[in-house]
Amino acid sequence: MGCDIHLYIEYKSKKTEFDGYDPGWQSFGGSINPGRNYAMFALMADVRNYGDDKLPVLVKRRGMPDDAGYTATDDIRIYISDVPSSRYVSTETAKSWVKSGSSKFINDKEGNPMWVTDPDAHSHSWLTTSEFESILNKYLELQSVWHKKRVEEHNKMVKEENIQPDSWAYAPPSSNDEPEYQVVLTILKRFEELGYDARVVFWFDN
């Protein structure tokens, strides 16, 4: 089964507004899927990081931040209600999810379970702009090495099998530079240039 990322760009003013009111972290663009790339997943959160060639995890997985913005917070939770609805989950089902360890209760102000976290979501974490940049740069460094090796193997195959230029198999493999992740970094940096703190909050599903 495949694994995908749910990523949220969040930004926060470095100064309080409206007579001391702090609006907290705000979401830019809602849920983003910059692409299924298991190498990036491994570097970001040790997800799908298998085998003898495990990649380095530059930042230890932190879990969901307690101060996550409303959009990310609302997307990760499911309302508990015994009123039949595709948008809710019953109390019994919510308890079974929590008992299995796949979910956690989220309480209301009185301490009563009001929501339950999505049981399909896992490996929650967040990264600052500089941390995300370091991870992306590491990926691009590794990708350059992998691409060079693939091109060398391809050229060897073309020569040994006498593949002609008019064959679809003649063209060398392309490099996967992950432009979507690079655009995410550009947005984070722009927020910081404008005087905001910025980060990515994310989790994965199977």
Side-chain angles (χ1 to χ4, degrees):
M1 185 180 293
C3 177
D4 288 305
I5 188 171
H6 300 253
L7 183 145
Y8 298 76
I9 297 172
E10 294 192 339
Y11 64 98
K12 180 180 179 181
S13 176
K14 293 184 178 180
K15 58 184 180 181
T16 56
E17 301 175 1
F18 309 117
D19 298 324
Y21 171 70
D22 182 0
W25 289 95
Q26 305 295 309
S27 175
F28 174 80
S31 179
I32 299 171
N33 182 351
R36 181 183 290 179
N37 184 312
Y38 290 163
M40 278 295 295
F41 295 178
L43 292 168
M44 291 174 69
D46 202 21
V47 169
R48 296 296 174 107
N49 200 12
Y50 303 142
D52 298 330
D53 298 322
K54 289 191 68 172
L55 299 180
V57 181
L58 302 185
V59 180
K60 186 177 179 180
R61 199 161 59 220
R62 294 170 165 141
M64 187 75 174
D66 293 334
D67 60 350
Y70 176 81
T71 303
T73 299
D74 197 49
D75 283 357
I76 199 62
R77 65 189 182 185
I78 302 171
Y79 186 68
I80 300 171
S81 175
D82 291 320
V83 176
S85 172
S86 59
R87 299 173 59 189
Y88 307 150
V89 62
S90 69
T91 303
E92 182 180 354
T93 299
K95 287 181 177 179
S96 69
W97 289 350
V98 172
K99 185 177 181 179
S100 71
S102 60
S103 296
K104 296 180 180 179
F105 283 125
I106 301 175
N107 297 335
D108 60 17
K109 294 180 179 179
E110 285 70 43
N112 301 311
M114 188 171 184
W115 298 277
V116 64
T117 57
D118 186 341
D120 294 326
H122 63 87
S123 306
H124 310 71
S125 195
W126 58 274
L127 297 166
T128 65
T129 299
S130 61
E131 290 168 344
F132 186 75
E133 182 174 26
S134 295
I135 288 170
L136 182 56
N137 286 341
K138 182 63 177 179
Y139 167 78
L140 294 174
E141 175 189 328
L142 292 169
Q143 173 60 27
S144 177
V145 174
W146 296 333
H147 180 248
K148 181 179 179 181
K149 183 177 180 180
R150 289 197 303 269
V151 170
E152 290 174 350
E153 292 173 348
H154 171 82
N155 291 340
K156 180 180 178 182
M157 178 194 70
V158 167
K159 183 177 181 180
E160 290 178 349
E161 299 183 14
N162 193 29
I163 297 175
Q164 298 302 304
D166 59 350
S167 169
W168 65 268
Y170 185 83
S174 60
S175 177
N176 186 7
D177 293 331
E178 289 298 352
E180 296 93 341
Y181 286 87
Q182 295 196 51
V183 169
V184 168
L185 177 60
T186 298
I187 294 171
L188 292 170
K189 285 186 169 183
R190 184 56 179 155
F191 272 119
E192 295 200 339
E193 290 171 357
L194 293 171
Y196 294 86
D197 287 324
R199 69 183 182 184
V200 288
V201 175
F202 54 92
W203 61 83
F204 303 85
D205 67 41
N206 290 326

